[in-house]
Structures are given as C-alpha cells and as structure tokens.
Amino acid sequence: MDYGLLVMGAPYSDPAPHSALRFAEAVLARGHRLTGVFFYHDGVHNASSLMTPPQDELNLRKAWKALNERHGVPLDVCIAAALRRGIVSEAEAARHGHSAYNLEAPFELTGLGQLLTLQQRCDRLITFAS
Amino acid sequence: MDYGLLVMGAPYSDPAPHSALRFAEAVLARGHRLTGVFFYHDGVHNASSLMTPPQDELNLRKAWKALNERHGVPLDVCIAAALRRGIVSEAEAARHGHSAYNLEAPFELTGLGQLLTLQQRCDRLITFAS
Amino acid sequence: MTLHILTTAPNSDPARQVEQALNAGDTLLLIEAAVTAALDPQLNCWTQPAYTVWLLEEDLVARGLGNIAKKHRLATVNMDGFVALTEQHEQSVTWY
Amino acid sequence: MTLHILTTAPNSDPARQVEQALNAGDTLLLIEAAVTAALDPQLNCWTQPAYTVWLLEEDLVARGLGNIAKKHRLATVNMDGFVALTEQHEQSVTWY
Amino acid sequence: MHASEDFLVIIRHAPHNASWLREGLDAALVAAAFGQSVRLLFMGEGALALCKAQQAGAPGQKASLPTIDMLEMYDIDQLNVPVRTLDELNIGLESLVDGVSTLTDAQVNALFSQNRPILNF
Amino acid sequence: MHASEDFLVIIRHAPHNASWLREGLDAALVAAAFGQSVRLLFMGEGALALCKAQQAGAPGQKASLPTIDMLEMYDIDQLNVPVRTLDELNIGLESLVDGVSTLTDAQVNALFSQNRPILNF
C-alpha cells in the first residue's frame, strides 16, 4: 500500500515525531511504500539543521534524512507554519533578508496543498500529534 | 519592586509569550524594575532571529529586543533547552560545526543557574506558560 | 497568601490541580484559555467563599466573553490590575 | 470501520472526544500518554463491548506499565501490529 | 479518496490559544480550494472559534473570526457543533456566528461511520 | 527568598511525553546545586515519573529514571506524591521507586501556605 504521514509535533517537546519515525520504519519493513511525510504545525521543527541534541540522544533531523536517503521518501514542510516558527530555506532567507537559514535538502518548503495531494495519492494517511 | 519573568512557551504555538510581553510592559508602566527574562522549555524559540511571521503579525523576537533596548532588560536563554531545539549562538554554532546561527544579542545563552540567580535577586518571579 | 495563575480551561488537569493547592485567603487569576470559566457560573471556583477569583479582561474580551462575564457579575482585572495582584502577593504559582 | 489513535491520558479532552466518535466495530489504539489507561481496568474503554482496544507495547514498556497491562489482561500490539491495524482500516483519525 | 466525498475537518482548539485553530482552518480552506466539499466539526473548546463577539487579542495577535467569515466564500457552509459541546461549555447558539448547525450524539457518531478523508486539529 | 527555605519543585508531566519532566528535574538539580533544600511534589501524571519499572523509550529517547535515581546524590530526599494522585491514577506505592512519601489533601494544601520559592513544571 501507499502510506503518507502527517507529523505535527516538535522533536524533544513532543513524542509524536519519535512515534512517526518508528511507524515509518515498520511501514517499510512490512513492504509498503512511503509516499511522503508532511510536517505541519510544530512538526516543522523536525527540519531544523541547527538542532543540536546531546550526543547520547537521537538527532531527529538526521533520522528523517536517513529515511530519505535510504528510501527516497520526500520530506515536505509547510512553508507558512515554518516561516512563523523560524524554519527558513536558503531561498526564503534571501527573500526575507536573513543572513542565515536552517532548512536544507532533503527537506523542502512547500504549500499546504501538498498535504492534500499526499492524502489523495495515498491509500493511508496517518497523523502523528500529541 | 524587582520583577523577573520565566517564559516557557513558543511564539505562535502558545499564548504565553504574548501574555508575558504585555505583563512586562505593565510592570514597567507601574514603575517597577524588570531584572530579567529567562526563556526555558519551548520559550527558547522567542530568541530565533529567523522567525518570519506574516507582516500583519507581531514579531515576538523584535518585541523582546525592543524591551531590552528601551529598558536594558537582560534576555537569558537556557542553553541546554535551546541547543536541543535548534536555537544556537555564533559561538555554539562554531563549537558544534554548524555553518549558521539564529541567536544573537541582546539574547544570551546561559545556564539554568541563571534562573535561580534571577529568582534570588527578584522580589517577584512570574511564570508564563500555557 | 499566594497568587495562583491558571492558563488552561476549567476541565483540564491543571484546573483540578490548582484547586488542591488553593488555601483560604489565596487569590486565583484566570488568564488565556482559563477565562472560558466565565461561561459557567456553577463552576466550583465561582461558588466557594474561601478564595478570591479574577478574570483577565483582555483575554476575556479577545474571546468574546466580556458580556457573558458581566452578565454573570464576575470580577475582572486588566493587565495593570494583574501587576497589582502580584504586588500584593509575595508568592505566585502558574498552572498550565 | 475506522482506526482511532489516541495519544493523551484517559482523563483528557481528546479521550472524551474520541468516545463520541467511536462507532460499533471500530478500533481504538492507545499510544504515547494514552497507555496509562492500562492502570485502570474500570475505564469505559475497557468495559464496553462495542469496539476493540489495543495498547502500543513499546510505549507501555517504556513507561513501566507492561506488567500491569499483563495483570489486567489487556491486549497489546507492537509497531508492526500498529501498521497491520492501519492496513485493516481504510480510515484513521488521531486524537491528541 | 475522491473529490466527491465530504471532506471532514475537525477543530478542537480555541482561538488565541495556539496556532492550532488557524492552521486547522487553513487546511479546510486549502481542501476547499482543491475542489473538496468540506464539512467543519467544532468539538470541545473548538466551538469557541465561532463566538461572534470575539476580537483580536493582544496587539499583533491576529483575530480568527475573519477566517470564519471567509469560509462561506470557499463554499464551506457546513459548520457543525455537537449539542453536547454547547452543553459542556454552557454556551448558547445565539452567542455563535450565523449558519451553525447542531448535531446530536448520534449525528456526530454517524459523521465518523462514513468513509471520508478526515483531518483532526 | 533565602537559601534556608524549602524550595518546592512541582512535576506534573509524565516521562517520554515532552521534555517537561526532564527540564523540571534539571531545575530541581540546579536548585540543589545552588545550596537550596529542595522538595519535589509529583502531581497528576507527574507521579508516573516515579514508576520503577520504566525503561528507555524508542531508540534515542532518553530514560528519565536515572535522573530520579540521581536526586539522592543532590540531597533531594523529599519525594512527595498526593494520595489523591495515586488514587486517581489507580497506582500503588509499591510500583514506585523507594523513598516516596504520600501526602494527604491537607498536607498538599499546607505546602502552598508557606512562603517559599516554587517552580511548577
């Protein structure tokens, strides 16, 4: 089957991204396809390349990135939710006069329409939020 | 009197920083001193210089910065809570190999001990969290 | 005497917890989501005589509950009054 | 048939809301903070016959509640079983 | 999932409290813009989003009522609130914006028995 | 506020659920390191932090039990739980770590009647 995930919690503040990652691994282990992950609400913080957890803790961004590298899963981040919360790509940084950015590939800023597209393309859309 | 504020909510995700800012203005308007603001838990996101709200919305970081500029209020951010959540100063960025940073003066990364010091130095410590 | 500040709705865990903490003579200030308590004058906090309860006016008005609070004759303070309450109470605890 | 996923404690708003949404034949999966429901076998979700309830094993064990769930003979699934439940239900709703 | 189905968006968070309300309503508007027929269900504190007397919050805090008013322009005319929610909040239908319809427990239940896309905020 | 007073830290959030528990315990440890005599009150879901059978969560999720075990080293030996909390959670004292003492409603109430620094997590 084709699965999509909607992740709406921030790492370290919320267990939702941890649950979503474990679920993603289990989906793939059962032979399904993961069509995409959409990050909305506080979930946009999963994309932060400045995330610096202590060394004995999982770096959630790197874990999502590894999922993308191994299985080609697109990682889409809602642009409106992200900008408000200080998650900015190189292009958006330039547009808004910031001298730095903290979102880079494989994460992509995209509109909320992408969530609707994901929902339509998938057999199952599972939401992770706490 | 000497007031200290403890802010533990993120802008846009939580009303706590809005309440704290309005309270800070009222404290000063009544002739009190604001000895410091300490940002802990998700409150560390108040310091993000990449925060990019729509133009018709208040930029919370700029509002805190203005409070500092007008009244010299120190803005201390818990370093452990901040690093996990991707809030990083220039020095910490260098230390952890990041090529960008999103926390700058007047916000300062500091240890949790600073919260205890603030509590001891103030007549009143008021917590804002939701 | 302690000032207890509640920021969550009346049926939330923190609302139950603050009731365990309130002593006779204390003050309870309802801000943010807690101001929805104005809708129900039968709630415990409005019917007990042991402590004083205030609603934060700005948060009440923002949610469209100002008139309902007036109708129920509930006491409100503005932000300046919030600061005054903290002056009067040496200690405050926020429940969220 | 819908799979309802609850992530909050049994006395929370979302826990009350999911009860309004559950239809006969539906499935309720308790994950994250919701697994504390294992402590109380008298909770409505354990005593009604209309829908099936599962606890997510990993979250139960992490919180030290694995043995209590066993003692109360409550049904658990692991992450693989969670995926299986989503295969069996065309629709899922998460309550948080 | 096809465009003809009734797309259900559930709003359970109050205004001024977090961006849940705003981000939930945004999702409803985008679904409508995608040609879906959207039904909104306001449960629990979410019903306060319909309070017609609400205003903007503190300076810079955006009001959400204008978004509620915009729903009609997107052909979202199903604004449902459970009777149970109104009872629990002790709020009357006359305090809410026009065009809200109430649902019995059985009607709420029935919304979830039909197979349709659901987003829960 | 002086160092001799009993510093009260309240923990109301469960393990694995957010960083509230960890960050609350960190504050207690720092207060103790500052020479304060710290008392911990575990209310509501916070009492689950004392569950002795708890383990690390998913890979990379840090366990909080080791921090509870560390409290003694910082001379934090007052671990209080309201009887009401144990009743509401339906959990017995035997499921919790050693050294926890229960408080009646009146005792909980009394904790808040004395003037002392309080941090509420």
Side-chain angles (χ1 to χ4, degrees):
Chain A
M1 287 188 189
D2 289 309
Y3 275 77
L5 306 189
L6 169 59
V7 178
M8 300 203 281
Y12 314 110
S13 298
D14 197 317
H18 273 107
S19 298
L21 252 175
R22 288 187 288 153
F23 184 84
E25 300 285 358
V27 160
L28 295 165
R30 281 180 71 92
H32 299 298
R33 283 169 301 279
L34 198 48
T35 309
V37 182
F38 191 86
F39 297 93
Y40 194 36
H41 193 72
D42 286 351
V44 301
H45 288 298
N46 282 276
S48 172
S49 49
L50 295 179
M51 188 189 294
T52 316
Q55 298 209 331
D56 57 348
E57 284 178 51
L58 185 68
N59 183 314
L60 266 283
R61 184 189 63 91
K62 287 187 181 162
W64 288 117
K65 190 165 182 265
L67 193 75
N68 167 276
E69 282 161 1
R70 279 182 285 118
H71 305 281
V73 182
L75 304 173
D76 288 324
V77 179
C78 173
I79 185 167
L83 290 182
R84 269 196 195 93
R85 291 173 176 83
I87 301 294
V88 176
S89 64
E90 188 167 11
E92 290 300 317
R95 227 161 67 83
H96 294 279
H98 296 304
S99 55
Y101 59 93
N102 56 357
L103 178 142
E104 51 201 335
F107 291 92
E108 296 281 351
L109 287 183
T110 176
L112 195 46
Q114 186 61 31
L115 171 61
L116 276 294
T117 304
L118 182 64
Q119 186 162 44
Q120 286 171 346
R121 285 178 53 209
C122 288
D123 301 302
R124 300 286 184 271
L125 179 78
I126 315 291
T127 298
F128 289 88
S130 316
Chain B
M1 288 189 189
D2 290 309
Y3 275 77
L5 306 188
L6 169 59
V7 178
M8 300 203 281
Y12 314 109
S13 298
D14 197 318
H18 272 107
S19 298
L21 252 175
R22 289 187 288 153
F23 184 84
E25 300 286 359
V27 159
L28 294 164
R30 281 181 70 92
H32 299 298
R33 284 170 302 279
L34 199 48
T35 309
V37 181
F38 191 86
F39 297 93
Y40 194 37
H41 193 74
D42 286 351
V44 301
H45 289 298
N46 282 276
S48 172
S49 49
L50 295 178
M51 189 190 294
T52 315
Q55 297 208 333
D56 57 348
E57 285 178 50
L58 185 69
N59 183 314
L60 266 283
R61 184 190 62 93
K62 288 188 180 161
W64 289 117
K65 189 163 180 266
L67 193 76
N68 167 276
E69 282 162 2
R70 280 183 284 118
H71 305 281
V73 182
L75 304 173
D76 288 324
V77 179
C78 174
I79 186 167
L83 290 182
R84 268 196 196 95
R85 290 173 177 84
I87 301 293
V88 176
S89 65
E90 187 167 12
E92 290 301 317
R95 226 161 68 82
H96 294 280
H98 296 304
S99 55
Y101 59 93
N102 57 358
L103 178 143
E104 51 201 335
F107 291 92
E108 296 280 351
L109 288 183
T110 176
L112 195 46
Q114 186 61 32
L115 171 61
L116 277 293
T117 304
L118 182 63
Q119 186 162 45
Q120 287 172 346
R121 286 178 52 209
C122 287
D123 301 302
R124 301 286 185 271
L125 179 79
I126 314 292
T127 297
F128 289 89
S130 317
Chain C
M1 300 304 102
T2 300
L3 174 65
H4 293 274
I5 303 165
L6 177 67
T7 68
T8 58
N11 63 343
S12 60
D13 271 356
R16 283 185 287 270
Q17 289 158 352
V18 71
E19 299 260 357
Q20 293 177 56
L22 277 155
N23 278 278
D26 280 352
T27 299
L28 174 62
L29 174 64
L30 306 175
I31 73 171
E32 299 172 6
V35 299
T36 57
L39 286 164
D40 188 358
Q42 303 305 316
L43 287 173
N44 182 54
C45 70
W46 301 122
T47 56
Q48 57 67 41
Y51 53 86
T52 315
V53 188
W54 299 90
L55 292 154
L56 187 62
E57 199 173 291
E58 284 91 331
D59 290 346
L60 201 59
V61 170
R63 284 163 184 77
L65 305 177
N67 283 334
I68 285 171
K70 235 176 245 160
K71 198 182 82 186
H72 295 154
R73 297 164 180 278
L74 305 175
T76 63
V77 285
N78 59 14
M79 223 3 125
D80 187 65
F82 181 175
V83 179
L85 286 175
T86 63
E87 292 165 8
Q88 292 154 25
H89 295 80
E90 229 180 289
Q91 180 171 261
S92 81
V93 185
T94 302
W95 300 84
Y96 55 90
Chain D
M1 300 306 101
T2 300
L3 173 65
H4 293 273
I5 302 165
L6 177 66
T7 69
T8 59
N11 63 342
S12 61
D13 271 357
R16 284 184 286 270
Q17 290 158 352
V18 71
E19 299 260 357
Q20 293 178 54
L22 278 155
N23 278 278
D26 281 352
T27 300
L28 174 62
L29 173 64
L30 306 175
I31 73 171
E32 298 171 7
V35 299
T36 57
L39 286 163
D40 187 359
Q42 303 304 315
L43 286 173
N44 182 54
C45 70
W46 301 122
T47 56
Q48 57 67 42
Y51 53 87
T52 316
V53 188
W54 300 90
L55 292 155
L56 187 61
E57 198 173 292
E58 284 92 331
D59 290 345
L60 201 58
V61 170
R63 283 162 184 78
L65 305 177
N67 283 333
I68 286 171
K70 236 175 243 160
K71 197 183 83 186
H72 295 155
R73 298 164 179 277
L74 305 175
T76 63
V77 284
N78 59 16
M79 224 1 127
D80 186 64
F82 181 175
V83 178
L85 286 175
T86 63
E87 292 165 9
Q88 292 153 24
H89 295 80
E90 228 180 292
Q91 178 170 261
S92 80
V93 185
T94 302
W95 301 84
Y96 55 90
Chain E
M1 297 177 183
H2 305 288
S4 59
E5 290 168 76
D6 210 352
F7 196 105
L8 180 63
V9 177
I10 312 168
I11 301 286
R12 298 173 300 125
H13 289 81
H16 302 289
N17 215 23
S19 48
W20 281 118
L21 170 59
R22 181 201 337 222
E23 294 179 342
L25 291 175
D26 281 353
L29 294 177
V30 170
F34 266 61
Q36 307 263 354
S37 152
V38 175
R39 176 187 293 268
L40 276 169
L41 174 64
F42 295 84
M43 289 180 94
E45 287 185 63
L48 298 170
L50 300 169
C51 230
K52 66 182 168 197
Q54 62 186 300
Q55 302 179 12
Q61 261 190 304
K62 226 172 155 178
S64 51
L65 201 52
T67 312
I68 298 285
D69 293 336
M70 251 167 66
L71 295 172
E72 219 183 333
M73 284 168 41
Y74 283 77
D75 292 324
I76 303 178
D77 48 13
Q78 283 290 347
L79 308 185
N80 298 165
V81 181
V83 173
R84 184 198 288 250
T85 285
L86 296 180
D87 289 349
E88 283 173 355
L89 289 171
N90 198 41
I91 198 168
L93 205 53
E94 74 285 354
S95 300
L96 306 185
V97 297
D98 290 342
V100 174
S101 46
T102 57
L103 300 182
T104 63
D105 280 0
Q107 287 172 316
V108 172
N109 215 247
L111 281 186
F112 292 91
S113 68
Q114 294 146 33
N115 198 26
R116 52 153 63 88
I118 299 180
L119 289 176
N120 192 5
F121 292 100
Chain F
M1 298 174 181
H2 304 291
S4 59
E5 291 167 76
D6 211 351
F7 196 106
L8 180 64
V9 177
I10 312 168
I11 302 286
R12 297 174 299 125
H13 289 82
H16 302 290
N17 215 24
S19 49
W20 281 118
L21 169 60
R22 180 200 339 220
E23 293 179 341
L25 291 175
D26 281 353
L29 294 177
V30 170
F34 267 60
Q36 308 263 354
S37 153
V38 175
R39 176 188 294 269
L40 276 169
L41 174 64
F42 295 84
M43 289 180 95
E45 287 186 62
L48 298 170
L50 300 168
C51 231
K52 65 183 169 196
Q54 62 184 300
Q55 302 178 12
Q61 260 190 307
K62 226 171 152 178
S64 50
L65 201 52
T67 311
I68 297 286
D69 292 337
M70 251 168 64
L71 296 172
E72 220 183 334
M73 285 168 42
Y74 282 76
D75 292 323
I76 303 179
D77 49 13
Q78 283 290 348
L79 307 184
N80 297 165
V81 181
V83 173
R84 184 198 287 249
T85 286
L86 296 180
D87 289 349
E88 283 173 354
L89 289 172
N90 197 41
I91 198 168
L93 204 52
E94 74 285 355
S95 300
L96 307 185
V97 297
D98 291 341
V100 174
S101 46
T102 58
L103 299 182
T104 63
D105 280 358
Q107 287 171 316
V108 172
N109 215 247
L111 280 187
F112 293 91
S113 69
Q114 294 146 35
N115 198 27
R116 52 153 64 87
I118 300 180
L119 289 175
N120 193 6
F121 292 100

